[in-house]
Every structure is written in structure tokens, then in C-alpha cells.
Amino acid sequence: MGTIERFAGRELKAEQLKDVDVLLVRSITKVNDELLSKANKLKFVGTATIGEDHIDKPLLKQRGIEFSSAPGCNATSVAEFVISALLVLHDRYNLDFINKTIAIVGVGNIGKRLLQRLNTLNVDVLLCDPVRQDNESDAAHFIDLNDALARADIISFHTPLTRDGAHPTFHLLNENNLPLLKDDVVLINSCRGEVIDNQALYNHIIWREESSKPAIKLVLDVWEGEPNPMPALIEKAELATAHIAGYSLEGKARGTEMLYQKVCALVAVPSTIKLSTLLPIADVASTKLAQDVTTTEELKKLVHLVFDVRRDDGLFRELLNSNGFDWLRKNYPTRREWSSLQVEIEKDQQILSIYRK
Ligand SMILES: NC(=O)C1=CN([C@@H]2O[C@H](COP(=O)(O)OP(=O)(O)OC[C@H]3O[C@@H](n4cnc5c(N)ncnc54)[C@H](O)[C@@H]3O)[C@@H](O)[C@H]2O)C=CC1
Ligand SMILES: O=C(O)C(=O)[C@H](O)COP(=O)(O)O
């Protein structure tokens, strides 16, 4: 479709965009006025990500530059990251999330996929999404944030990072509402680090320790100040990872394919490459069970056969200081989604692909 020049995500300079028609980025490239100051021919900006907070969209609109992100591309990956993490906590503390109340804050593509999986397991779920609540007629099933924080045993954040509008999410969880959390709460953030005030969270953790209160069980994939997360907060996390919740092979490939389709349309070239032909067979592509999955322990074995987040937590703690946050993400080992595993239930000779979607 044209000449391709590659660049390191954080190092792109304005001068490199002179005479460039199409710019394709990921989340670590800030597309702003300074970067586009020499972009004299730019027609399209694409980000192979769900999040758009690194893109100055009003600027692109004002300059007549078309834009596309990759909505939902790695939503399944994040939802499966959350359940993999919850199953680690089951292993460590016999914490059976299936019998707990889970609040999903932000019920969009990721929140809905997480809800779908939790519904399959008959988990009691609370939903908080004031934007949808404002705009949908049947909004009765949404509750407000403070209610969710006070009632939930497990809270998982899946909002965009926004600083304006009716319901901004910057520091959504902060020193004012952290005290609402239950004593034995599990707190998961795999959306954007800035949605939780990290300093306030750390201060709250220390306050709990000094008050001999139970520790929050913390699962953090995203951090304020990336690529330099707060070391003291890492130490307090049950599971700490380098912004990889969306890093399944399928998720990355879907994001790339979505931009490929957009650029093909832009330059009026037929799209000929199909994602499905590019994905390799998973290392563990099939397994046999004597009977269907009926316990959390059995579910844990199956889910962790595909992806056990302790692998990524171990790499993060081992290599962050020597190799760095960006290196961990750039060298992320292959990880697949549940749909890559076919499960044969011997009992009744059925071939099931559990969790196909
Ligand atoms: N850690 C990772 O690797 C990844 C992180 N993400 C992050 O997760 C975010 C969510 O992804 P999706 O669910 O696909 O986006 P989405 O746009 O489909 O859903 C976001 C939902 O949050 C809701 N929301 C907005 N403001 C809110 C508020 N103040 N309180 C509660 N809900 C609010 C929206 O109404 C929407 O329903 C992305 O914007 C991105 O920042 C996404 C993919 C991977
Ligand atoms: O899709 C999103 O939004 C994410 O947070 C991705 O995980 C970002 O991945 P990179 O673009 O930082 O590789």
C-alpha cells in the first residue's frame, strides 16, 4: 500500500512526520499538537488499541485528519486476565470469587465480556456505569460508584481515562472514597493507571496496616506514571503486571487487522489478509477432561492451562528494575485466549470448546 517506516513508540519526532500520509500508533505514542507540527500531508491516524487517551482527537478533527482506534480488539484478553487473577487468589487464599459479589466499574466491551463470563458462573455482579445510566432507558440495573465500593467484595475497573465530560474517570478512586471499601476487598485495575489515585491508594494501604485492618488484595496491571510505576505500590500488590492485560496474541492481531482494514479502505486497496490465517495453533490446543468443570478448582486448572497471570507477575517483579517496563511489554511472551483451547469431555464423548467466546 506504500512505503512503511517503523519507529520506537516513545521516540517519534515531529520532523519524521513530514510528507507522511498515514500514522499508525499504539498507546505509548502521544499524538498531540507538538508531534503533528510538521505533519503537512497526514490524512489518517490509527491506534491499534482500545484506549484513546494518548490521542488528541479534537485536534485531528480540527485538522480534518481521519482517526480510528480498535474498539474491543483486546477486550476478551482483559476479561480473561481478570478471571485468571481471581483464580490465583483462589489458589492463595481459597477465595472463591464465585460466591462473592463483584462490582464492574465501566460496563463496555471489556466489562460486558467479564459480565458474560461471571454470569455463566452464576456470580452476583453489581454494575456501575453512569454514562450508560444517563443514556439508556433500562438503566435500573446500574448503581452508583459509592454504593458499589461499599457493597462489593471484588471491584474491577474498566473505564476509559477521561478528564472532562459528565463523568470524568481521572482519580475516580481517591482518598475520599477509598475508605468505603470493605475490609477484605479485592481491588483490580486493568484499565488505566490514572483512574486510581496511586498515592492515595498507597496511603490508604499504610493506614490499614497501622490500624491493624486487613490488607486490600490488589491486582494492578496499569499504573500512574508508566513506564515508571510506584515501587512501593508494586510491593503491596498481590499481582503486579506491566500493562499486559490486553496482550493476548488474538487481541494484538485483532487490533492490527482492524487498522489494516481501515487503511485498505482509505487507499482503496482490497483487504486480502485475514487474521484467522495468521494465528498459529496454540501450544496447548486441546485437553481431555473425565467430566465437565463443576468446581472452582477444576476451572482454575483449565483457565491456567491457557493463561496463568502469575507468569507475568513473576517476570514483572524479576525484570522490571533490570530491563524496564517497556522491555517487558516489548518482549511479552506469547499468550493465547481461552478460545484457542478445545476441551474434550470424555464422559459423554462431547467435543466442547469451552468459553468459545
Ligand atoms: N490493561 C490493558 O491492557 C487494557 C486496558 N484497556 C483500557 O480499558 C478501557 C475500557 O475498555 P473497553 O471496555 O473496551 O471500553 P468501552 O469504551 O467499550 O467501555 C468503557 C465503559 O466505561 C464507561 N464509563 C465511562 N466513564 C465512566 C465512569 N466515570 N464510571 C463508570 N463507567 C464509565 C463507558 O460508559 C463505557 O461503557 C479502555 O478505555 C482502556 O483504557 C483496554 C484494553 C487493554
Ligand atoms: O488497548 C488498550 O487500550 C491497551 O491498553 C493496550 O494494552 C495498550 O497496548 P500498547 O499500545 O501500549 O502496546
Side-chain angles (χ1 to χ4, degrees):
M1 286 190 269
T3 310
I4 296 178
E5 293 173 29
R6 295 163 60 98
F7 59 88
R10 293 188 200 279
E11 295 166 19
L12 180 64
K13 297 288 181 285
E15 296 67 36
Q16 292 175 272
L17 292 181
K18 188 173 179 307
D19 296 333
V20 164
D21 300 292
V22 170
L23 171 63
L24 305 178
V25 299
R26 294 189 62 92
S27 80
I28 61 174
T29 303
K30 304 285 178 242
V31 179
N32 53 26
D33 200 36
E34 181 190 354
L35 181 68
L36 300 189
S37 57
K38 302 284 193 302
N40 55 325
K41 289 175 63 182
L42 197 60
K43 299 182 187 63
F44 176 80
V45 171
T47 179
T49 62
I50 291 175
E52 302 174 346
D53 47 283
H54 53 295
I55 307 283
D56 184 339
K57 287 168 63 177
L59 172 68
L60 297 181
K61 189 177 174 93
Q62 175 211 329
R63 290 189 48 173
I65 297 170
E66 276 192 67
F67 167 70
S68 178
S69 59
C73 66
N74 48 19
T76 295
S77 178
V78 178
E80 294 181 358
F81 168 91
V82 171
I83 293 187
S84 179
L86 288 173
L87 288 166
V88 169
L89 298 182
H90 176 264
D91 228 6
R92 284 185 185 166
Y93 302 101
N94 200 28
L95 187 155
D96 198 339
F97 72 92
I98 291 175
N99 299 321
K100 298 290 184 183
T101 297
I102 299 184
I104 300 175
V105 182
V107 191
N109 282 317
I110 294 173
K112 285 175 192 167
R113 282 167 174 76
L114 179 59
L115 174 62
Q116 182 188 46
R117 284 154 178 76
L118 295 175
N119 283 343
T120 307
L121 299 166
N122 297 316
V123 177
D124 176 27
V125 185
L126 303 174
L127 303 178
C128 170
D129 191 324
V131 174
R132 285 187 58 190
Q133 196 168 7
D134 289 352
N135 295 297
E136 293 179 13
S137 52
D138 64 335
H141 51 294
F142 292 114
I143 64 173
D144 71 32
L145 179 63
N146 286 354
D147 197 5
L149 298 178
R151 291 167 54 189
D153 304 306
I154 299 165
I155 300 163
S156 194
F157 283 83
H158 300 288
T159 71
L161 174 60
T162 57
R163 297 168 191 266
D164 49 28
H167 305 285
T169 63
F170 176 77
H171 286 186
L172 191 61
L173 188 61
N174 55 60
E175 62 180 348
N176 298 315
N177 54 19
L178 275 159
L180 294 174
L181 296 175
K182 294 175 83 168
D183 276 356
D184 53 353
V185 73
V186 174
L187 180 61
I188 303 169
N189 188 11
S190 59
C191 60
R192 284 291 181 269
E194 297 84 347
V195 170
I196 297 179
D197 181 334
N198 281 205
Q199 186 59 59
L201 174 58
Y202 179 74
N203 296 345
H204 178 77
I205 290 168
I206 297 303
W207 171 77
R208 279 181 173 236
E209 288 174 357
E210 291 167 351
S211 315
S212 305
K213 280 181 167 289
I216 292 177
K217 291 183 179 62
L218 199 51
V219 177
L220 293 179
D221 176 57
V222 287
W223 312 80
E224 279 197 290
E226 287 179 21
N228 304 298
M230 183 196 290
L233 190 56
I234 295 171
E235 293 312 311
K236 300 298 182 184
E238 277 290 336
L239 290 166
T241 47
H243 194 153
I244 49 75
Y247 265 24
S248 66
L249 187 63
E250 292 89 342
K252 284 190 166 186
R254 275 188 219 103
T256 303
E257 184 187 43
M258 288 168 84
L259 289 193
Y260 166 69
Q261 299 285 350
K262 287 283 184 188
V263 175
C264 285
L266 189 76
V267 299
V269 163
S271 63
T272 54
I273 303 170
K274 282 281 168 246
L275 165 66
S276 49
T277 63
L278 300 180
L279 288 173
I281 298 282
D283 293 345
V284 180
S286 65
T287 185
K288 279 186 179 178
L289 299 180
Q291 61 182 19
D292 203 345
V293 171
T294 55
T295 67
T296 306
E297 184 59 27
E298 289 164 351
L299 178 67
K300 180 182 71 72
K301 286 180 185 150
L302 202 54
V303 166
H304 286 166
L305 192 60
V306 179
F307 171 54
D308 184 336
V309 65
R310 283 171 290 202
R311 177 197 75 173
D312 298 354
D313 172 84
L315 288 168
F316 186 74
R317 295 179 196 276
E318 182 69 24
L319 298 174
L320 177 66
N321 294 333
S322 55
N323 296 43
F325 196 91
D326 285 347
W327 183 93
L328 281 162
R329 304 182 82 229
K330 195 72 186 164
N331 296 278
Y332 187 66
T334 298
R335 164 189 151 204
R336 301 304 296 271
E337 293 177 359
W338 297 350
S339 59
S340 66
L341 174 67
Q342 191 132 22
V343 181
E344 185 177 341
I345 310 284
E346 285 177 337
K347 180 187 66 157
D348 43 18
Q349 293 309 308
Q350 276 185 33
I351 301 278
L352 296 175
S353 180
I354 284 190
Y355 317 109
R356 168 56 66 194
K357 282 291 171 214

